[in-house]
Amino acid sequence: MQSGIINVLKPPGMTSHDVVSYIRRLYSIKRVGHAGTLDPAAAGVLPVFIGNATRLVEYLADADKSYRAELTFGFETDTGDDTGKIINSRPYIRPKLNEIEAALASFVGENEQIPPMYSAIKIGGKKLYELARQGQVVERKPRKISIDTISLITECETGIVFDVTCSKGTYIRVLCSDIGSRLNCLAVMSFLVRTRVGNFHLEHALTLEEIAANKEQAIQAADSVLAHLPAIMLSEQEAQAIKNGRSICCNQSGSDLIKMYDRESAFIGIGRETCQLDGHVTLTPVKILSPGL
């Protein structure tokens, strides 16, 4: 069974699930998942996990993400982007450059954001977008998000283009609307490309056509998602103990989680370091991936 991660450049017009289905058919493999849903109209980085590597999705799902977005002033839609139905419009006085820059800067740090109705969040067992398509609007609780950086790239005739790096769960559609409100304008997101998810970058992402033409070369090693973790090389006996679910003694690395490799440098999985009362440090298996599977 093939196993690894594919840095997919999702095209606009496809859902993230469509991409997963395409990869599943292309590689004739059932175990396929992705980290971080992209709206159908959006493009950009969509890491897709196949085979045993799907067990590592959670280690990328919480990673921060970067986007380039276009915001258009003057109207709002039911979806928050320009693909939705216009529900309100009004003339606006174009904000000055210093006002735009100040508004963007005001979002840096911890914020609260109300998820849009057109989202995959479930309330009462139903996805919000399913309720929205039925004409229902339900109360949504604000969620905490974090904006690490946000910067103006250019001003357009009817809006702006900006870059943003943010935490998991941030809706750029909502951010665009909130920026508009800060500037006393109606606003929607009119373009979005995700430029990074964790250590997966747009410049290295592959189109579906490129993946189909180079199926084997498109797959990155499963441990590429764990570049931020320290690594430890285990002896044959230590590796076997870990694979059997037993803890071993180790030297402290200063990290909670650690990547584990056997003496042939094959990736085994993830372990957790724990300092015992007697001062010894033990390494306990958390996720084990059988090399080669």
Side-chain angles (χ1 to χ4, degrees), residues 56-107:
L56 300 176
V57 169
E58 64 183 280
Y59 297 97
L60 191 61
D62 292 335
D64 60 352
K65 300 170 177 65
S66 297
Y67 299 88
R68 176 159 292 186
E70 181 186 64
L71 175 157
T72 297
F73 295 121
F75 66 100
E76 61 181 354
T77 67
D78 55 354
T79 61
D81 60 20
D82 62 353
T83 67
K85 181 176 69 175
I86 296 176
I87 56 176
N88 196 8
S89 64
R90 67 167 182 256
Y92 63 94
I93 299 175
R94 182 173 182 83
K96 296 177 181 178
L97 175 60
N98 65 319
E99 294 173 331
I100 294 171
E101 291 178 333
L104 294 178
S106 70
F107 285 93

Side-chain angles (χ1 to χ4, degrees), residues 247-249 272-284:
S247 298
I248 61 173
C249 291
R272 173 171 282 114
E273 287 188 354
T274 306
C275 187
Q276 304 300 316
L277 294 176
D278 59 5
H280 287 89
V281 178
T282 61
L283 182 62
T284 303

Side-chain angles (χ1 to χ4, degrees), residues 154-173:
T154 187
E155 294 183 85
C156 308
E157 184 177 350
T158 57
I160 61 173
V161 175
F162 64 93
D163 282 349
V164 59
T165 295
C166 52
S167 64
K168 168 191 174 183
T170 303
Y171 287 91
I172 308 302
R173 288 175 286 145

Side-chain angles (χ1 to χ4, degrees), residues 18 29 47 106 138 162-163 168 178 208 220 227 238 240 274:
D18 289 338
I29 189 170
S106 70
V138 298
F162 64 93
D163 282 349
K168 168 191 174 183
D178 290 344
L208 298 180
Q220 299 184 32
E238 290 172 331
Q240 194 58 53
T274 306

Side-chain angles (χ1 to χ4, degrees), residues 1-291:
M1 182 190 297
Q2 292 167 308
S3 179
I5 306 167
I6 305 172
N7 185 4
V8 179
L9 174 55
K10 188 191 88 67
M14 289 183 75
T15 66
S16 299
H17 181 71
D18 289 338
V19 174
V20 166
S21 296
Y22 175 85
I23 296 297
R24 186 176 286 128
R25 293 193 302 271
L26 181 66
Y27 287 89
S28 299
I29 189 170
K30 292 183 178 180
R31 296 182 65 183
V32 181
H34 68 80
T37 301
L38 264 177
D39 289 341
V45 174
L46 182 70
V48 174
F49 295 64
I50 66 173
N52 235 17
T54 54
R55 301 183 63 205
L56 300 176
V57 169
E58 64 183 280
Y59 297 97
L60 191 61
D62 292 335
D64 60 352
K65 300 170 177 65
S66 297
Y67 299 88
R68 176 159 292 186
E70 181 186 64
L71 175 157
T72 297
F73 295 121
F75 66 100
E76 61 181 354
T77 67
D78 55 354
T79 61
D81 60 20
D82 62 353
T83 67
K85 181 176 69 175
I86 296 176
I87 56 176
N88 196 8
S89 64
R90 67 167 182 256
Y92 63 94
I93 299 175
R94 182 173 182 83
K96 296 177 181 178
L97 175 60
N98 65 319
E99 294 173 331
I100 294 171
E101 291 178 333
L104 294 178
S106 70
F107 285 93
V108 175
E110 300 293 327
N111 295 274
E112 284 193 339
Q113 194 179 75
I114 298 176
M117 277 301 302
Y118 279 87
S119 64
I121 294 173
K122 286 187 177 182
I123 292 182
K126 286 195 174 183
K127 294 180 179 178
L128 284 177
Y129 69 78
E130 294 173 339
L131 299 175
R133 289 170 181 169
Q134 297 170 7
Q136 299 182 46
V137 177
V138 298
E139 183 180 357
R140 289 97 67 202
K141 294 182 179 180
R143 294 186 168 194
K144 289 185 178 181
I145 63 164
S146 177
I147 304 294
D148 296 324
T149 62
I150 185 168
S151 57
L152 179 68
I153 299 302
T154 187
E155 294 183 85
C156 308
E157 184 177 350
T158 57
I160 61 173
V161 175
F162 64 93
D163 282 349
V164 59
T165 295
C166 52
S167 64
K168 168 191 174 183
T170 303
Y171 287 91
I172 308 302
R173 288 175 286 145
V174 176
L175 179 61
C176 286
S177 177
D178 290 344
I179 292 170
S181 296
R182 198 71 52 97
L183 293 166
N184 296 314
C185 300
L186 298 178
V188 299
M189 184 185 77
S190 45
F191 171 80
L192 182 69
V193 59
R194 185 157 65 194
T195 56
R196 183 181 63 87
V197 177
N199 60 322
F200 292 87
H201 295 260
L202 182 64
E203 55 265 35
H204 303 301
L206 302 174
T207 66
L208 298 180
E209 293 77 13
E210 290 172 329
I211 295 167
N214 299 279
K215 289 172 59 178
E216 300 305 319
Q217 295 85 343
I219 304 175
Q220 299 184 32
D223 59 341
S224 61
V225 73
L226 305 170
H228 60 292
L229 295 181
I232 188 173
M233 197 77 69
L234 303 180
S235 67
E236 185 175 355
Q237 288 183 329
E238 290 172 331
Q240 194 58 53
I242 285 289
K243 290 178 184 180
N244 290 337
R246 300 198 306 270
S247 298
I248 61 173
C249 291
C250 69
N251 294 321
Q252 191 166 8
S253 70
S255 175
D256 177 33
L257 297 177
I258 188 167
K259 295 178 292 188
M260 303 178 295
Y261 297 84
D262 65 20
R263 62 181 184 177
E264 277 77 41
S265 297
F267 178 55
I268 298 173
I270 303 170
R272 173 171 282 114
E273 287 188 354
T274 306
C275 187
Q276 304 300 316
L277 294 176
D278 59 5
H280 287 89
V281 178
T282 61
L283 182 62
T284 303
V286 174
K287 283 281 177 71
I288 300 300
L289 279 72
S290 299

